[in-house]
PDB file of all heavy atoms in Angstrom:
ATOM      1  N   ASP A   1       0.211  -9.883 -19.936  1.00 91.00           N
ATOM      2  CA  ASP A   1       1.249  -9.489 -20.898  1.00 91.00           C
ATOM      3  C   ASP A   1       1.789 -10.710 -21.655  1.00 91.00           C
ATOM      4  O   ASP A   1       2.002 -10.670 -22.863  1.00 91.00           O
ATOM      5  CB  ASP A   1       2.385  -8.777 -20.163  1.00 91.00           C
ATOM      6  CG  ASP A   1       3.503  -8.353 -21.098  1.00 91.00           C
ATOM      7  OD1 ASP A   1       3.238  -7.562 -22.017  1.00 91.00           O
ATOM      8  OD2 ASP A   1       4.633  -8.841 -20.924  1.00 91.00           O
ATOM      9  N   LYS A   2       1.941 -11.825 -20.944  1.00 95.00           N
ATOM     10  CA  LYS A   2       2.484 -13.040 -21.558  1.00 95.00           C
ATOM     11  C   LYS A   2       1.516 -13.684 -22.547  1.00 95.00           C
ATOM     12  O   LYS A   2       1.926 -14.436 -23.426  1.00 95.00           O
ATOM     13  CB  LYS A   2       2.848 -14.056 -20.465  1.00 95.00           C
ATOM     14  CG  LYS A   2       4.061 -13.649 -19.632  1.00 95.00           C
ATOM     15  CD  LYS A   2       4.329 -14.670 -18.536  1.00 95.00           C
ATOM     16  CE  LYS A   2       5.515 -14.243 -17.677  1.00 95.00           C
ATOM     17  NZ  LYS A   2       5.747 -15.199 -16.556  1.00 95.00           N
ATOM     18  N   LEU A   3       0.239 -13.370 -22.432  1.00 96.00           N
ATOM     19  CA  LEU A   3      -0.761 -13.971 -23.319  1.00 96.00           C
ATOM     20  C   LEU A   3      -0.705 -13.404 -24.736  1.00 96.00           C
ATOM     21  O   LEU A   3      -1.188 -14.023 -25.679  1.00 96.00           O
ATOM     22  CB  LEU A   3      -2.170 -13.767 -22.745  1.00 96.00           C
ATOM     23  CG  LEU A   3      -2.462 -14.498 -21.430  1.00 96.00           C
ATOM     24  CD1 LEU A   3      -3.795 -14.050 -20.863  1.00 96.00           C
ATOM     25  CD2 LEU A   3      -2.455 -16.009 -21.640  1.00 96.00           C
ATOM     26  N   ALA A   4      -0.152 -12.212 -24.863  1.00 96.00           N
ATOM     27  CA  ALA A   4       0.066 -11.571 -26.171  1.00 96.00           C
ATOM     28  C   ALA A   4      -1.168 -11.565 -27.072  1.00 96.00           C
ATOM     29  O   ALA A   4      -1.141 -12.080 -28.196  1.00 96.00           O
ATOM     30  CB  ALA A   4       1.232 -12.244 -26.889  1.00 96.00           C
ATOM     31  N   PRO A   5      -2.278 -10.970 -26.615  1.00 97.00           N
ATOM     32  CA  PRO A   5      -3.476 -10.929 -27.470  1.00 97.00           C
ATOM     33  C   PRO A   5      -3.288 -10.021 -28.684  1.00 97.00           C
ATOM     34  O   PRO A   5      -2.593  -9.007 -28.613  1.00 97.00           O
ATOM     35  CB  PRO A   5      -4.545 -10.372 -26.531  1.00 97.00           C
ATOM     36  CG  PRO A   5      -3.783  -9.538 -25.541  1.00 97.00           C
ATOM     37  CD  PRO A   5      -2.498 -10.287 -25.320  1.00 97.00           C
ATOM     38  N   ASP A   6      -3.933 -10.408 -29.789  1.00 97.00           N
ATOM     39  CA  ASP A   6      -3.932  -9.575 -30.992  1.00 97.00           C
ATOM     40  C   ASP A   6      -5.029  -8.523 -30.941  1.00 97.00           C
ATOM     41  O   ASP A   6      -4.952  -7.497 -31.615  1.00 97.00           O
ATOM     42  CB  ASP A   6      -4.173 -10.438 -32.242  1.00 97.00           C
ATOM     43  CG  ASP A   6      -3.070 -11.461 -32.440  1.00 97.00           C
ATOM     44  OD1 ASP A   6      -1.899 -11.061 -32.457  1.00 97.00           O
ATOM     45  OD2 ASP A   6      -3.397 -12.663 -32.582  1.00 97.00           O
ATOM     46  N   LEU A   7      -6.078  -8.796 -30.132  1.00 97.00           N
ATOM     47  CA  LEU A   7      -7.204  -7.873 -30.033  1.00 97.00           C
ATOM     48  C   LEU A   7      -7.798  -7.947 -28.644  1.00 97.00           C
ATOM     49  O   LEU A   7      -7.887  -9.019 -28.043  1.00 97.00           O
ATOM     50  CB  LEU A   7      -8.271  -8.219 -31.081  1.00 97.00           C
ATOM     51  CG  LEU A   7      -9.508  -7.321 -31.115  1.00 97.00           C
ATOM     52  CD1 LEU A   7      -9.902  -6.969 -32.555  1.00 97.00           C
ATOM     53  CD2 LEU A   7     -10.704  -8.003 -30.423  1.00 97.00           C
ATOM     54  N   ILE A   8      -8.215  -6.795 -28.125  1.00 97.00           N
ATOM     55  CA  ILE A   8      -8.899  -6.706 -26.843  1.00 97.00           C
ATOM     56  C   ILE A   8     -10.384  -6.534 -27.124  1.00 97.00           C
ATOM     57  O   ILE A   8     -10.783  -5.676 -27.913  1.00 97.00           O
ATOM     58  CB  ILE A   8      -8.407  -5.503 -26.008  1.00 97.00           C
ATOM     59  CG1 ILE A   8      -6.879  -5.537 -25.852  1.00 97.00           C
ATOM     60  CG2 ILE A   8      -9.105  -5.490 -24.647  1.00 97.00           C
ATOM     61  CD1 ILE A   8      -6.329  -6.749 -25.152  1.00 97.00           C
ATOM     62  N   LEU A   9     -11.218  -7.335 -26.470  1.00 97.00           N
ATOM     63  CA  LEU A   9     -12.671  -7.257 -26.632  1.00 97.00           C
ATOM     64  C   LEU A   9     -13.288  -6.875 -25.300  1.00 97.00           C
ATOM     65  O   LEU A   9     -12.964  -7.443 -24.264  1.00 97.00           O
ATOM     66  CB  LEU A   9     -13.206  -8.618 -27.102  1.00 97.00           C
ATOM     67  CG  LEU A   9     -14.717  -8.739 -27.328  1.00 97.00           C
ATOM     68  CD1 LEU A   9     -15.199  -7.776 -28.408  1.00 97.00           C
ATOM     69  CD2 LEU A   9     -15.075 -10.185 -27.687  1.00 97.00           C
ATOM     70  N   MET A  10     -14.196  -5.896 -25.341  1.00 96.00           N
ATOM     71  CA  MET A  10     -14.876  -5.444 -24.127  1.00 96.00           C
ATOM     72  C   MET A  10     -16.322  -5.094 -24.437  1.00 96.00           C
ATOM     73  O   MET A  10     -16.698  -4.934 -25.598  1.00 96.00           O
ATOM     74  CB  MET A  10     -14.176  -4.197 -23.547  1.00 96.00           C
ATOM     75  CG  MET A  10     -12.782  -4.428 -23.024  1.00 96.00           C
ATOM     76  SD  MET A  10     -12.141  -2.952 -22.188  1.00 96.00           S
ATOM     77  CE  MET A  10     -13.147  -2.909 -20.701  1.00 96.00           C
ATOM     78  N   MET A  11     -17.106  -4.956 -23.386  1.00 94.00           N
ATOM     79  CA  MET A  11     -18.465  -4.459 -23.539  1.00 94.00           C
ATOM     80  C   MET A  11     -18.478  -2.948 -23.387  1.00 94.00           C
ATOM     81  O   MET A  11     -17.623  -2.380 -22.702  1.00 94.00           O
ATOM     82  CB  MET A  11     -19.386  -5.051 -22.465  1.00 94.00           C
ATOM     83  CG  MET A  11     -19.602  -6.539 -22.571  1.00 94.00           C
ATOM     84  SD  MET A  11     -20.844  -7.118 -21.376  1.00 94.00           S
ATOM     85  CE  MET A  11     -19.971  -6.869 -19.814  1.00 94.00           C
ATOM     86  N   THR A  12     -19.443  -2.312 -24.018  1.00 89.00           N
ATOM     87  CA  THR A  12     -19.748  -0.935 -23.670  1.00 89.00           C
ATOM     88  C   THR A  12     -20.718  -1.001 -22.508  1.00 89.00           C
ATOM     89  O   THR A  12     -21.367  -2.019 -22.285  1.00 89.00           O
ATOM     90  CB  THR A  12     -20.415  -0.186 -24.842  1.00 89.00           C
ATOM     91  OG1 THR A  12     -21.571  -0.928 -25.267  1.00 89.00           O
ATOM     92  CG2 THR A  12     -19.460  -0.041 -26.007  1.00 89.00           C
ATOM     93  N   GLY A  13     -20.828   0.061 -21.749  1.00 65.00           N
ATOM     94  CA  GLY A  13     -21.739   0.037 -20.613  1.00 65.00           C
ATOM     95  C   GLY A  13     -21.354   1.100 -19.610  1.00 65.00           C
ATOM     96  O   GLY A  13     -20.684   2.075 -19.936  1.00 65.00           O
ATOM     97  N   SER A  14     -21.783   0.873 -18.377  1.00 51.00           N
ATOM     98  CA  SER A  14     -21.530   1.852 -17.327  1.00 51.00           C
ATOM     99  C   SER A  14     -20.768   1.204 -16.189  1.00 51.00           C
ATOM    100  O   SER A  14     -20.559  -0.001 -16.162  1.00 51.00           O
ATOM    101  CB  SER A  14     -22.870   2.411 -16.806  1.00 51.00           C
ATOM    102  OG  SER A  14     -23.678   1.362 -16.323  1.00 51.00           O
ATOM    103  N   GLY A  15     -20.358   2.015 -15.228  1.00 50.00           N
ATOM    104  CA  GLY A  15     -19.657   1.499 -14.059  1.00 50.00           C
ATOM    105  C   GLY A  15     -18.324   0.873 -14.427  1.00 50.00           C
ATOM    106  O   GLY A  15     -17.579   1.371 -15.273  1.00 50.00           O
ATOM    107  N   ASP A  16     -18.024  -0.261 -13.796  1.00 49.00           N
ATOM    108  CA  ASP A  16     -16.738  -0.928 -14.001  1.00 49.00           C
ATOM    109  C   ASP A  16     -16.557  -1.426 -15.430  1.00 49.00           C
ATOM    110  O   ASP A  16     -15.439  -1.632 -15.884  1.00 49.00           O
ATOM    111  CB  ASP A  16     -16.602  -2.114 -13.040  1.00 49.00           C
ATOM    112  CG  ASP A  16     -16.386  -1.673 -11.603  1.00 49.00           C
ATOM    113  OD1 ASP A  16     -15.924  -0.531 -11.420  1.00 49.00           O
ATOM    114  OD2 ASP A  16     -16.695  -2.452 -10.692  1.00 49.00           O
ATOM    115  N   HIS A  17     -17.690  -1.650 -16.129  1.00 52.00           N
ATOM    116  CA  HIS A  17     -17.589  -2.164 -17.495  1.00 52.00           C
ATOM    117  C   HIS A  17     -17.190  -1.075 -18.484  1.00 52.00           C
ATOM    118  O   HIS A  17     -16.809  -1.367 -19.605  1.00 52.00           O
ATOM    119  CB  HIS A  17     -18.920  -2.773 -17.941  1.00 52.00           C
ATOM    120  CG  HIS A  17     -19.310  -3.972 -17.135  1.00 52.00           C
ATOM    121  ND1 HIS A  17     -18.460  -5.037 -16.934  1.00 52.00           N
ATOM    122  CD2 HIS A  17     -20.449  -4.262 -16.460  1.00 52.00           C
ATOM    123  CE1 HIS A  17     -19.070  -5.938 -16.178  1.00 52.00           C
ATOM    124  NE2 HIS A  17     -20.256  -5.487 -15.877  1.00 52.00           N
ATOM    125  N   MET A  18     -17.289   0.178 -18.069  1.00 58.00           N
ATOM    126  CA  MET A  18     -17.016   1.287 -18.968  1.00 58.00           C
ATOM    127  C   MET A  18     -15.551   1.706 -18.834  1.00 58.00           C
ATOM    128  O   MET A  18     -15.070   2.003 -17.763  1.00 58.00           O
ATOM    129  CB  MET A  18     -17.921   2.479 -18.619  1.00 58.00           C
ATOM    130  CG  MET A  18     -17.923   3.578 -19.642  1.00 58.00           C
ATOM    131  SD  MET A  18     -18.632   3.031 -21.202  1.00 58.00           S
ATOM    132  CE  MET A  18     -18.631   4.594 -22.084  1.00 58.00           C
ATOM    133  N   ALA A  19     -14.856   1.688 -19.927  1.00 69.00           N
ATOM    134  CA  ALA A  19     -13.454   2.115 -19.930  1.00 69.00           C
ATOM    135  C   ALA A  19     -13.114   2.637 -21.314  1.00 69.00           C
ATOM    136  O   ALA A  19     -13.547   2.078 -22.314  1.00 69.00           O
ATOM    137  CB  ALA A  19     -12.536   0.959 -19.566  1.00 69.00           C
ATOM    138  N   ARG A  20     -12.373   3.722 -21.355  1.00 80.00           N
ATOM    139  CA  ARG A  20     -11.981   4.288 -22.645  1.00 80.00           C
ATOM    140  C   ARG A  20     -10.932   3.398 -23.295  1.00 80.00           C
ATOM    141  O   ARG A  20     -10.060   2.844 -22.632  1.00 80.00           O
ATOM    142  CB  ARG A  20     -11.427   5.695 -22.455  1.00 80.00           C
ATOM    143  CG  ARG A  20     -12.436   6.709 -21.973  1.00 80.00           C
ATOM    144  CD  ARG A  20     -11.921   8.143 -22.095  1.00 80.00           C
ATOM    145  NE  ARG A  20     -10.567   8.295 -21.561  1.00 80.00           N
ATOM    146  CZ  ARG A  20      -9.523   8.742 -22.271  1.00 80.00           C
ATOM    147  NH1 ARG A  20      -9.685   9.080 -23.532  1.00 80.00           N
ATOM    148  NH2 ARG A  20      -8.334   8.852 -21.707  1.00 80.00           N
ATOM    149  N   ALA A  21     -11.056   3.263 -24.601  1.00 85.00           N
ATOM    150  CA  ALA A  21     -10.123   2.417 -25.340  1.00 85.00           C
ATOM    151  C   ALA A  21      -8.684   2.837 -25.090  1.00 85.00           C
ATOM    152  O   ALA A  21      -7.800   1.992 -24.891  1.00 85.00           O
ATOM    153  CB  ALA A  21     -10.454   2.472 -26.828  1.00 85.00           C
ATOM    154  N   ALA A  22      -8.442   4.142 -25.083  1.00 85.00           N
ATOM    155  CA  ALA A  22      -7.082   4.648 -24.886  1.00 85.00           C
ATOM    156  C   ALA A  22      -6.527   4.229 -23.522  1.00 85.00           C
ATOM    157  O   ALA A  22      -5.340   3.894 -23.397  1.00 85.00           O
ATOM    158  CB  ALA A  22      -7.058   6.163 -25.013  1.00 85.00           C
ATOM    159  N   ASP A  23      -7.397   4.223 -22.501  1.00 88.00           N
ATOM    160  CA  ASP A  23      -6.957   3.833 -21.157  1.00 88.00           C
ATOM    161  C   ASP A  23      -6.607   2.349 -21.097  1.00 88.00           C
ATOM    162  O   ASP A  23      -5.638   1.954 -20.440  1.00 88.00           O
ATOM    163  CB  ASP A  23      -8.043   4.147 -20.132  1.00 88.00           C
ATOM    164  CG  ASP A  23      -8.270   5.648 -19.959  1.00 88.00           C
ATOM    165  OD1 ASP A  23      -7.337   6.412 -20.292  1.00 88.00           O
ATOM    166  OD2 ASP A  23      -9.361   6.037 -19.524  1.00 88.00           O
ATOM    167  N   ILE A  24      -7.395   1.531 -21.777  1.00 92.00           N
ATOM    168  CA  ILE A  24      -7.123   0.087 -21.795  1.00 92.00           C
ATOM    169  C   ILE A  24      -5.813  -0.199 -22.528  1.00 92.00           C
ATOM    170  O   ILE A  24      -4.973  -0.969 -22.061  1.00 92.00           O
ATOM    171  CB  ILE A  24      -8.285  -0.675 -22.458  1.00 92.00           C
ATOM    172  CG1 ILE A  24      -9.536  -0.602 -21.584  1.00 92.00           C
ATOM    173  CG2 ILE A  24      -7.909  -2.138 -22.707  1.00 92.00           C
ATOM    174  CD1 ILE A  24      -9.390  -1.256 -20.226  1.00 92.00           C
ATOM    175  N   LEU A  25      -5.654   0.412 -23.679  1.00 92.00           N
ATOM    176  CA  LEU A  25      -4.459   0.138 -24.487  1.00 92.00           C
ATOM    177  C   LEU A  25      -3.172   0.635 -23.841  1.00 92.00           C
ATOM    178  O   LEU A  25      -2.085   0.162 -24.171  1.00 92.00           O
ATOM    179  CB  LEU A  25      -4.625   0.747 -25.884  1.00 92.00           C
ATOM    180  CG  LEU A  25      -5.738   0.109 -26.739  1.00 92.00           C
ATOM    181  CD1 LEU A  25      -5.891   0.861 -28.049  1.00 92.00           C
ATOM    182  CD2 LEU A  25      -5.456  -1.370 -26.992  1.00 92.00           C
ATOM    183  N   SER A  26      -3.296   1.595 -22.923  1.00 92.00           N
ATOM    184  CA  SER A  26      -2.108   2.093 -22.224  1.00 92.00           C
ATOM    185  C   SER A  26      -1.942   1.463 -20.839  1.00 92.00           C
ATOM    186  O   SER A  26      -1.014   1.809 -20.098  1.00 92.00           O
ATOM    187  CB  SER A  26      -2.192   3.620 -22.077  1.00 92.00           C
ATOM    188  OG  SER A  26      -3.325   3.991 -21.295  1.00 92.00           O
ATOM    189  N   HIS A  27      -2.835   0.532 -20.494  1.00 94.00           N
ATOM    190  CA  HIS A  27      -2.748  -0.151 -19.203  1.00 94.00           C
ATOM    191  C   HIS A  27      -1.448  -0.953 -19.156  1.00 94.00           C
ATOM    192  O   HIS A  27      -1.038  -1.560 -20.154  1.00 94.00           O
ATOM    193  CB  HIS A  27      -3.946  -1.088 -19.037  1.00 94.00           C
ATOM    194  CG  HIS A  27      -4.089  -1.660 -17.667  1.00 94.00           C
ATOM    195  ND1 HIS A  27      -3.331  -2.718 -17.211  1.00 94.00           N
ATOM    196  CD2 HIS A  27      -4.919  -1.331 -16.644  1.00 94.00           C
ATOM    197  CE1 HIS A  27      -3.681  -3.014 -15.976  1.00 94.00           C
ATOM    198  NE2 HIS A  27      -4.647  -2.189 -15.608  1.00 94.00           N
ATOM    199  N   PRO A  28      -0.777  -0.997 -17.999  1.00 94.00           N
ATOM    200  CA  PRO A  28       0.498  -1.723 -17.886  1.00 94.00           C
ATOM    201  C   PRO A  28       0.429  -3.179 -18.341  1.00 94.00           C
ATOM    202  O   PRO A  28       1.414  -3.717 -18.854  1.00 94.00           O
ATOM    203  CB  PRO A  28       0.803  -1.641 -16.381  1.00 94.00           C
ATOM    204  CG  PRO A  28       0.119  -0.408 -15.921  1.00 94.00           C
ATOM    205  CD  PRO A  28      -1.125  -0.290 -16.743  1.00 94.00           C
ATOM    206  N   ALA A  29      -0.724  -3.819 -18.185  1.00 94.00           N
ATOM    207  CA  ALA A  29      -0.854  -5.217 -18.587  1.00 94.00           C
ATOM    208  C   ALA A  29      -1.007  -5.378 -20.095  1.00 94.00           C
ATOM    209  O   ALA A  29      -0.766  -6.449 -20.641  1.00 94.00           O
ATOM    210  CB  ALA A  29      -2.066  -5.847 -17.900  1.00 94.00           C
ATOM    211  N   ILE A  30      -1.406  -4.298 -20.766  1.00 96.00           N
ATOM    212  CA  ILE A  30      -1.754  -4.370 -22.189  1.00 96.00           C
ATOM    213  C   ILE A  30      -0.748  -3.663 -23.088  1.00 96.00           C
ATOM    214  O   ILE A  30      -0.545  -4.046 -24.250  1.00 96.00           O
ATOM    215  CB  ILE A  30      -3.157  -3.747 -22.419  1.00 96.00           C
ATOM    216  CG1 ILE A  30      -4.215  -4.441 -21.555  1.00 96.00           C
ATOM    217  CG2 ILE A  30      -3.563  -3.783 -23.890  1.00 96.00           C
ATOM    218  CD1 ILE A  30      -4.449  -5.896 -21.891  1.00 96.00           C
ATOM    219  N   VAL A  31      -0.080  -2.657 -22.549  1.00 95.00           N
ATOM    220  CA  VAL A  31       0.666  -1.710 -23.372  1.00 95.00           C
ATOM    221  C   VAL A  31       1.708  -2.345 -24.293  1.00 95.00           C
ATOM    222  O   VAL A  31       1.966  -1.828 -25.387  1.00 95.00           O
ATOM    223  CB  VAL A  31       1.318  -0.629 -22.477  1.00 95.00           C
ATOM    224  CG1 VAL A  31       2.426  -1.230 -21.613  1.00 95.00           C
ATOM    225  CG2 VAL A  31       1.797   0.545 -23.303  1.00 95.00           C
ATOM    226  N   SER A  32       2.299  -3.459 -23.902  1.00 95.00           N
ATOM    227  CA  SER A  32       3.333  -4.071 -24.743  1.00 95.00           C
ATOM    228  C   SER A  32       2.820  -5.237 -25.587  1.00 95.00           C
ATOM    229  O   SER A  32       3.602  -5.918 -26.253  1.00 95.00           O
ATOM    230  CB  SER A  32       4.505  -4.552 -23.878  1.00 95.00           C
ATOM    231  OG  SER A  32       4.083  -5.564 -22.991  1.00 95.00           O
ATOM    232  N   THR A  33       1.500  -5.465 -25.575  1.00 96.00           N
ATOM    233  CA  THR A  33       0.923  -6.578 -26.340  1.00 96.00           C
ATOM    234  C   THR A  33       0.749  -6.192 -27.811  1.00 96.00           C
ATOM    235  O   THR A  33       0.706  -5.005 -28.150  1.00 96.00           O
ATOM    236  CB  THR A  33      -0.452  -6.985 -25.784  1.00 96.00           C
ATOM    237  OG1 THR A  33      -1.363  -5.894 -25.966  1.00 96.00           O
ATOM    238  CG2 THR A  33      -0.365  -7.350 -24.313  1.00 96.00           C
ATOM    239  N   PRO A  34       0.621  -7.182 -28.686  1.00 96.00           N
ATOM    240  CA  PRO A  34       0.342  -6.883 -30.097  1.00 96.00           C
ATOM    241  C   PRO A  34      -0.918  -6.040 -30.277  1.00 96.00           C
ATOM    242  O   PRO A  34      -0.969  -5.179 -31.164  1.00 96.00           O
ATOM    243  CB  PRO A  34       0.162  -8.280 -30.709  1.00 96.00           C
ATOM    244  CG  PRO A  34       1.001  -9.174 -29.853  1.00 96.00           C
ATOM    245  CD  PRO A  34       0.845  -8.632 -28.463  1.00 96.00           C
TER     246      PRO A  34
END
């Protein structure tokens, strides 16, 4: 949260690498970031 990223970058894929954008953006660590 303190890092305040302007953009989140991820891979597409399967397993742990697969996550819906909406889920990431609403994650407690991300939700209040730019």
